[in-house]
Each structure stands twice: as structure tokens, then as C-alpha cells.
Amino acid sequence: MDSGKRLEAWRKLAEKELRGRSLEELTRTTPEGISIKPLYSEEDLEGLEWAGAMPGLPPYVRGPKATMYAGRPWTIRQYAGFSTAKESNAFYRRNLAAGQKGLSVAFDLATHRGYDSDHPRVSGDVGKAGVAVDSVEDMKVLFDGIPLDAMSVSMTMNGAVLPVLAGYIVAAEEQGVPHDKLTGTIQNDILKEYLTRNTYIYPPAPSMRIVSDIIGFCSGEMPRYNTVSISGYHMMEAGADSVLQCAFTLADGLEYVKAALDAGLDVDAFAPRLSFFFGIGMNFFMEIAMLRAARFLWAEIMARFNPKDPRSSMLRTHCQTSGWSLTRQDPYTNIIRTTLECMSAVLGGTQSLHTNAFDEAVGLPTELSARVARNTQIVVQEESGVCGVVDPLGGSYYVESLTREIVEKVRGVLAEVEALGGMARAIESGMPKMRIEEASARRQARIDQGLDVIVGVNRYQVEEEEEMEVLDVPAAIREEQVRGLLELREKRDPAEVDRCLAAITRCAEGEGNLLEAVIPAMRARATVGEVSEAMEKIFGRFTATTRCISGVYAGEMGDNGTMATLRDRTDAFAERNGRRPRILLTKMGQDGHDRGIKIIATAYADFGFDVDLSPMFQTPEEAAKMAVENDVHAIGVSSLAAGHNILVPELIRHLADQDADDIVVFVGGIIPPSDYDLLSKMGVKDVFGPGTRVTESANRILNVLMEG
């Protein structure tokens, strides 16, 4: 029987089993716009561009190495850092002793944004969502007892990338490790900061110069070091589907290649040290196909530049399981989610991997949750047998067809970006950011309706939640960092520091390599904040335009009774009070993750609220002033970085100072349940934790406002 007859025989049998329903009813459409059929066959692989492809050979769809995990398993990394360098160092050393193979350093938000720990804008950020690093002295403590000539170190840093990378280089020098022995990765992916994570410092043009200068310096001095980790992870966390994540990540990579070539570098001098970083979510086969498609497309993109070194065309990637998919409700279910995402990354062919801890929907990982996360990878690597076969899903009718669908759709998005003049110009136009925010709003509307199932959140809820231990970073950490800064400034040679900082400013104003100029300053014990400010004198500090989309959430909800009820309630409020309920949505401190606040803004606007969206990185005083000037009824504070216990009471105090006690305050985000009572005692009217339906939060806010 030929394939056509076999397929027809299957169709008849399937329709019989469906008892009158059509097979078309089993076809579904993904958020990427890809139609998923109930069955795939050899006919779906006709004309496949990479038919017969082999691992380690162009176009690398089956993996960048010929033997993949059969020859060498992926590197087990854990992205970690909190509190002080001393605390993080102890955590790293315990993890390395327990089987971790490489370090991935998480810096706190003050460091990301180029502020020293004693700066007044970072009172609630020091040591909370990463480790505080103010100088080489912190960097030396961070890597104490960890030989930097033998340990691969990945550092997630973009805004303050120059002083942080220079501090790492100097710390290695003082261990006796020369530049050419250093291995690892610096993220150095500034374009995605303007799209999603927002931990930028300078405007795009000088930031791209910084990227090029790092590539140029490391290509000559640090040949084993990866100079850019082109990141799609934060796009996924901000709401991008797999096609958007893949397309915009590759477009960023292409922009960096062009910038390096424009700076006079040979493609084979830097391209082999470019790496990628993808986020892995819960659509199991889609994530596998995305990684395979990304490798194929990167080889296709790099062919334009005629590289001679095959490594220039290989896409090598780190992956991280999704933080957004983790739930506060029924949190041990997160272990299952992370395991599935881990398997997707592995079957997709990642080169290294971080698995998230099950408690990260409420706080930083504890010792227990970090061990479970690390052991998830160890069990998969050592017990599952997946390492024995290269690309075990290669040739799968479904996976190969899905890979082709992603390739075609990504090509379409890349063509749009090119038509706008490249990724830098596209970012200026707002197109990529808007696409991601629209995808995020649509997904949230589907979750709120129960169309996309989240176990424990909108289906199969548990009646009583178990309390979890939450790792708390005390406010005293900032005091400790400030003491360290005072000691540093007393011991160093101030004239030498001033000379080095002036040299950085001259370099920023003229020509020369900025990383080369920053290294002597870090040797002289200049601080991260001082080095950042030396460049800020020339480059300025970038302020993004805050915009809010509308109609997307409502469009996905359709004719929904809940939407109609909310609009009736806001109409009733307006009739009673002479105007619509007005809310200021703000993120205080230096956290730049704005997915949640953007979803709330678009949804509340669709409900009939007047919504004011504050600029990023407000202080409590600035938020209070904006609320009073805009004459709002309420303030919604978004908190993701553990600073709420410091920043919210300051906000309430500033409201009182301006005789604006009648403005009610609500808080939402990653907040441990144990903090809810504390926030209530401070004067917060309600707290909305992860998993709260947007419609529910709006109704609860209206309840408070209608009572007032």
C-alpha cells in the first residue's frame, strides 16, 4: 500500500472513531499562527530544505557538533546571585561541589543600571534580585576560591557591561590568570534591553559602540571568551511567542554582526565567539523546533558575509526554562513544568542550560529549591538516556514540519525588520516591542478566560495553599555594601582614580576602545557607578518613551460577560463621580521587567479606566508627585524584585506629605504571601499575587473605590 492509500485508510478509521465529528475539528492554531494537524506523515516533508542534513555540518539544523551529547553533554549552569558577593560565593561553591559545571552570575538591579549601592535611587534594589557588585573588591570576593582559568563564567550584564567585565578581568589578573585563559560569556546584548528588560543606561548609538568595543578587545585579548550572548529569553518572558522570539533574536544578532564589520573587524575574527540565549516555555515540540529553526536560519544569515571559518555560521546557545510559566499556586507543580522545559531544551540541542527553581514565583530560590532545579538536569543527563543519540527527533514528521513552519514565519518577520532598516531602526519605530506586548496581552486574555489551561491557576485549583519557605534578603545588605564603599574610597589613590575616569570620558568623547580605557580605572578601584557616570557625561542617560496599547485584550476576550460587567461598573463610577476611575500604574526602583504592568495597563483601559502609565525607574517621591498632579483615585504598584517592603511605605509617606491620603494604593507582582499582612499594615488596600486574573483585580479595585 502506497503512502497516499495508507493516509486515506487512516482518515476513514479516524473519522469512524470520531463518530460524526470532522478531523478538521482536531486541528488547532498556535499563538504563532501555525496550524497543528492531528497527524503528520512523510508527505509533510516533501521539499524539505535540509533533507539528509547531518549534525555538525551546514546548515546545522541537527546540532552544531557532530556527536552532540554522545560526545559531551550540555553544560549544567545555574543562574544565581543574591545579597553580597560573600554570600553568593558560598552559594556558588556549594553548587559546584554538588555537580554544577559552570557559573552564571546574576547581578542586582543597582549594578545593572550603573549605580553604586549608596546611590539614593537604589534604596530598595541592593542585593535583592542578584548580587551587589560595586568594585573589583566585590568581584574578587565573588570568585574567591574559584580558579578563573578553569571555570567558565557567564555574566548577565548589559547596561553596566564595561565596568563589570573590566572588574572580572582585573579580578582574574589578581588571581594570576592572563586574559587569554578566560572562558565564559558576557551577555552584552543591549538591543533587547530597549525591547523588554529595560536595564539600559545610555542611548542606542553609544551602546552599540560599547558592544563593538567589547567584541574588538576580546577578539584579540580573550580568544576563548564569548563576547555577545544574543538573548531571546527576556523577549519570551515579556510575552513573545516562539516565532517572535526567534525572529527578533536573530535580527539582533545580525545587527551586532553588521556593527562589528562596520568597526573594521573580520567576520571570522569575532563571529565564532557569538552565542545565543533562548527561553524555553511549555509548548514542548514548538520549543524544540524553534531551536532547530534558529540554527538553520543563522547559517543562512551568516552566508551573506562569506565566512571562511565554519564556526562563524554555527549557532551555539544557552537556554533557560521559563520563569513566567511558574505559578505561586500549587508551586510543586512547577517542578514538572521545569522538567518538561528542560527536556525541550535538550531535545532541541542546547549547549548549556539553567533550570528555574519551583519557588521563583514568590521569591529567590532557597537551598532546597536550587538543589531540586540543579538535580533536574543531572537526572535527565545521567538517568534518561537522551545523551546517547544525536538529535533523536531528527526525521520526525511532526518536528521537521514544525521546524519548517517556524523557518518560513521567521523569514517573514526578518523581512519586515530589514524593510525598516534593520533591528536598531525597527526598535526606534516601536514595531518589535509592540508585537511582543500584543502577543502578551492576547495570551493573558486567553488565560483569564480559561482557554489556555494553567494547572492550579485557572483549572484544578487546590483549596488550601501550602506555605513555602521564602529566601529573604535583609535591608542591612545595603548598609554592608555602603560600608565597603566607604572603606574602598579611603584606601585608594584618589588622584589615580580621577585620572583614569577622565581618560574614560575622553575616550567616550573621541576615539579608542572603551573597554581598554575602563580596565585601568577598575584596577585603580574606581566603582561601577563612577565609571558609568564618566561615560554618562558624554552619552547621557537614556529615557524610554512609555506607551500603552489598547483594544488587544478586549479583542481576544470578545463578547465576554465579565468585560461587559466591568465596563458597566466603570460607567456607574463615572456617573456617580463625574469622571472615570483613574489609576496610575508605576514600577518603582530599577526593575525593568514590564510585562505585568503593560498587560494591566491595556486591560484596564479596555475596561473603562483612565490609565496613567508612569516612566520606568521612578522613585517613591516621583510616583507620589505624579499621582497627585494627575489627580488619580488609585496607584497600582508593580513589584517583581523584592523591593516592595522598602519602596511602598516610602510611597505612602510621600502621599501623606502631600495631603493625598485619599489616593488608595494597590500592589501586584512577585510578592511572598507572608508579606501580604505587612503591606496591609503599611496601608496597602489589596495585594494581587501571581496568577490573579486581570478581571478579578479590576473588580477588587472597583470595590474599594466604590466604597470610598
Side-chain angles (χ1 to χ4, degrees):
M1 187 184 295
D2 63 29
S3 61
K5 290 181 179 179
R6 286 197 300 268
L7 194 59
E8 183 58 32
W10 171 82
R11 174 175 286 276
K12 289 179 180 179
L13 182 59
E15 287 176 345
K16 182 179 179 182
E17 290 177 359
L18 289 173
R19 298 181 180 179
R21 287 188 296 150
S22 70
L23 274 172
E24 282 64 34
E25 292 177 55
L26 300 183
T27 298
R28 60 185 178 84
T29 302
T30 72
E32 294 80 6
I34 296 172
S35 293
I36 304 298
K37 303 183 297 181
L39 180 73
Y40 288 77
S41 68
E42 58 196 280
E43 293 183 359
D44 292 292
L45 302 189
E46 288 180 8
L48 191 69
E49 290 180 72
W50 54 88
M54 297 300 288
L57 297 173
Y60 306 110
V61 69
R62 300 197 66 187
K65 297 290 185 182
T67 57
M68 289 298 287
Y69 309 143
R72 179 186 173 187
W74 70 92
T75 301
I76 298 172
R77 294 187 183 275
Q78 287 303 100
Y79 177 56
F82 61 94
S83 185
T84 63
K86 183 178 179 180
E87 291 283 341
S88 292
N89 173 261
F91 185 79
Y92 294 157
R93 291 169 74 168
R94 288 193 297 271
N95 282 4
L96 291 170
Q100 186 176 311
K101 300 299 183 184
L103 292 181
S104 291
V105 182
F107 296 94
D108 75 353
L109 294 164
T111 307
H112 273 289
R113 294 270 293 148
Y115 293 115
D116 289 333
S117 295
D118 58 356
H119 196 285
R121 297 195 77 88
V122 299
S123 60
D125 296 305
V126 176
K128 291 294 178 69
V131 60
V133 170
D134 291 312
S135 72
V136 168
E137 293 302 317
D138 289 326
M139 197 69 82
K140 287 174 67 177
V141 173
L142 189 65
F143 297 117
D144 182 42
I146 300 172
L148 293 178
D149 55 348
M151 180 58 59
S152 172
V153 176
S154 173
M155 295 188 289
T156 300
M157 178 54 62
N158 302 283
V161 63
L162 285 170
V164 167
L165 180 56
Y168 165 74
I169 290 168
V170 173
E173 288 175 355
E174 297 184 9
Q175 272 192 11
V177 179
H179 299 174
D180 62 357
K181 299 297 183 185
L182 292 172
T183 61
T185 304
I186 187 78
Q187 191 163 95
N188 194 27
D189 177 11
I190 199 62
L191 289 176
K192 71 99 169 48
E193 298 297 329
Y194 302 110
L195 274 178
T196 55
R197 194 160 174 254
N198 298 307
T199 53
Y200 41 71
I201 300 176
Y202 314 112
S207 294
M208 286 297 290
R209 176 189 168 186
I210 290 170
V211 173
S212 296
D213 282 1
I214 289 172
I215 293 172
F217 179 90
C218 294
S219 294
E221 294 283 321
M222 300 162 63
R224 301 171 62 194
Y225 199 76
N226 298 320
T227 50
V228 184
S229 176
I230 305 147
S231 175
Y233 177 82
H234 301 97
M235 299 179 200
M236 179 202 70
E237 291 292 277
D241 58 44
S242 293
V243 164
L244 292 178
Q245 180 186 183
C246 187
F248 293 146
T249 304
L250 296 180
D252 280 352
L254 175 58
E255 198 78 4
Y256 294 133
V257 169
K258 290 178 179 177
L261 293 173
D262 289 344
L265 295 173
D266 180 80
V267 66
D268 289 322
F270 67 87
R273 302 316 304 171
L274 298 177
S275 67
F276 288 78
F277 174 23
F278 285 99
I280 304 297
M282 282 296 291
N283 192 336
F284 188 79
F285 290 105
M286 187 71 73
E287 315 299 344
I288 295 167
M290 176 188 69
L291 294 180
R292 302 175 89 252
R295 285 193 294 270
F296 175 82
L297 287 162
W298 185 245
E300 183 175 77
I301 288 168
M302 291 305 294
R304 306 181 198 177
F305 306 106
N306 300 310
K308 305 297 186 293
D309 188 338
R311 296 174 303 163
S312 295
S313 302
M314 292 179 187
L315 184 148
R316 297 167 302 111
T317 189
H318 171 72
C319 288
Q320 181 172 339
T321 60
S322 172
W324 182 83
S325 70
L326 304 176
T327 65
R328 176 186 62 81
Q329 298 87 342
D330 207 3
Y332 294 108
T333 308
N334 293 330
I335 299 172
I336 303 163
R337 293 187 176 99
T338 297
T339 303
L340 286 169
E341 291 166 352
C342 170
M343 286 295 295
S344 282
V346 169
L347 292 173
T350 189
Q351 278 59 70
S352 66
L353 179 62
H354 164 91
T355 35
N356 286 336
F358 65 80
D359 53 0
E360 290 187 65
V362 294
L364 292 169
T366 60
E367 290 279 350
L368 170 64
S369 67
R371 186 174 79 244
V372 171
R374 181 182 62 252
N375 286 349
T376 300
Q377 290 196 60
I378 294 174
V379 168
V380 170
Q381 197 170 94
E382 301 286 351
E383 298 185 28
S384 72
V386 297
C387 292
V389 176
V390 181
D391 189 28
L393 292 180
S396 158
Y397 299 142
Y398 176 39
V399 170
E400 298 287 14
S401 180
L402 194 54
T403 302
R404 176 160 59 186
E405 290 270 12
I406 294 174
V407 165
E408 291 173 356
K409 288 191 174 294
V410 169
R411 280 173 174 160
V413 179
L414 289 172
E416 288 184 63
V417 171
E418 288 292 289
L420 291 169
M423 195 57 173
R425 292 286 180 85
I427 288 170
E428 289 174 5
S429 77
M431 183 274 276
K433 191 173 184 69
M434 199 66 68
R435 289 281 183 87
I436 292 171
E437 290 177 4
E438 288 171 356
S440 176
R442 283 194 293 269
R443 178 78 197 279
Q444 188 61 49
R446 290 184 60 81
I447 291 169
D448 287 349
Q449 295 175 84
L451 298 176
D452 290 351
V453 175
I454 308 293
V455 173
V457 175
N458 61 7
R459 200 176 296 182
Y460 312 111
Q461 297 96 328
V462 295
E463 291 184 9
E464 291 187 18
E465 295 285 351
E466 288 188 49
E467 283 201 22
M468 288 192 300
E469 178 190 356
V470 175
L471 181 64
D472 181 49
V473 177
I477 292 302
R478 187 181 188 223
E479 298 169 12
E480 186 176 338
Q481 286 296 119
V482 171
R483 283 196 301 272
L485 281 166
L486 289 172
E487 292 175 10
L488 178 84
R489 289 166 182 151
E490 286 174 1
K491 293 178 180 178
R492 69 189 187 179
D493 181 346
E496 176 64 9
V497 171
D498 289 345
R499 186 190 68 78
C500 291
L501 292 174
I504 293 170
T505 301
R506 287 195 301 274
C507 185
E509 190 173 25
E511 296 181 352
N513 187 287
L514 282 164
L515 179 54
E516 195 171 333
V518 169
I519 290 172
M522 298 306 288
R523 285 195 194 111
R525 288 341 190 230
T527 67
V528 168
E530 290 166 343
V531 169
S532 299
E533 189 177 350
M535 289 179 282
E536 190 179 334
K537 290 176 181 178
I538 304 302
F539 298 153
R541 188 171 275 267
F542 181 71
T543 302
T545 302
T546 303
R547 292 188 292 185
C548 176
I549 60 175
S550 62
V552 176
Y553 184 92
E556 189 66 39
M557 292 288 279
D559 296 328
N560 186 287
T562 305
M563 286 287 295
T565 299
L566 277 165
R567 285 171 173 156
D568 289 344
R569 295 195 71 193
T570 53
D571 287 345
F573 182 95
E575 188 173 340
R576 193 180 84 176
N577 295 277
R579 62 191 181 111
R580 294 193 168 277
R582 190 177 193 97
I583 186 168
L584 169 67
L585 299 175
T586 184
K587 286 187 69 68
M588 298 181 294
Q590 300 303 306
D591 176 41
H593 293 90
D594 60 356
R595 174 181 184 153
I597 199 170
K598 289 293 184 68
I599 289 173
I600 294 295
T602 184
Y604 278 35
D606 290 347
F607 298 154
F609 283 76
D610 286 335
V611 177
D612 296 317
L613 191 57
S614 82
M616 298 294 292
F617 314 120
Q618 281 198 316
T619 64
E621 184 177 9
E622 290 165 345
K625 182 181 179 184
M626 185 174 178
V628 171
E629 289 176 348
N630 291 14
D631 193 20
V632 302
H633 299 99
I635 300 176
V637 177
S638 175
S639 175
L640 294 178
H644 50 272
N645 288 342
I646 295 172
L647 298 172
V648 171
E650 286 186 25
L651 170 67
I652 292 171
R653 178 171 58 80
H654 284 297
L655 288 172
D657 290 344
Q658 299 184 57
D659 296 322
D661 306 74
D662 57 328
I663 297 177
V664 292
V665 176
F666 301 89
V667 180
I670 306 297
I671 302 164
S674 57
D675 285 352
Y676 286 20
D677 287 343
L678 180 62
L679 288 168
S680 178
K681 289 173 183 175
M682 294 174 184
V684 173
K685 290 297 182 183
D686 205 344
V687 181
F688 308 113
T692 305
R693 287 184 175 88
V694 177
T695 50
E696 178 190 342
S697 69
N699 269 315
R700 282 158 59 179
I701 287 175
L702 284 169
N703 290 342
V704 173
L705 295 181
M706 296 288 255
E707 290 170 3

